[in-house]
Amino acid sequence: GGGGDVGGKMKEAGTTHWDAPNTGATNESGFTALPGGYRYYPFGFYGAMGLKGDFWSASQFHSNYAWTRVLLYNSDVLIRVDKDKGFGLAVRLLRD
């Protein structure tokens, strides 16, 4: 799942933190998503700094997996992916 240009509206604009081209980034939502990368499970290495912003959601996929939202440097789409809970991803607390 995902949609439209929602990802671009969530990403910090420019290429100070995001790698070029940072497609569609306007930060119109005010979320200011940054590309913090992730810690890879099960091997523990760290990667994708500048390329991806991976965020845990509060929704569980099943006991070992949860839904995540992913933003990419070369896309303006907000992507939904299920990932093993062993991954190290960013967390953002939001109000309803």
Side-chain angles (χ1 to χ4, degrees):
D5 59 355
V6 172
K9 292 176 180 177
M10 295 177 71
K11 294 190 296 179
E12 177 191 60
T15 54
T16 300
H17 298 107
W18 286 94
D19 286 1
N22 197 14
T23 303
T26 65
N27 196 32
E28 184 180 324
S29 71
F31 187 81
T32 317
L34 295 171
Y38 62 94
R39 183 182 53 79
Y40 184 74
Y41 175 82
F43 304 109
F45 66 81
Y46 181 79
M49 184 85 160
L51 300 174
K52 292 178 72 179
D54 280 283
F55 298 88
W56 289 116
S57 80
S59 303
Q60 184 168 261
F61 178 68
H62 74 53
S63 61
N64 295 325
Y65 285 74
W67 288 110
T68 70
R69 295 293 182 163
V70 181
L71 299 164
L72 301 171
Y73 78 105
N74 60 353
S75 174
D76 62 359
V77 176
L78 177 64
I79 303 165
R80 187 173 90 160
V81 179
D82 60 287
K83 286 199 174 143
D84 190 292
K85 292 178 183 178
F87 274 87
L89 309 180
V91 174
R92 285 283 294 268
L93 302 177
L94 304 173
R95 284 186 297 211
D96 286 337

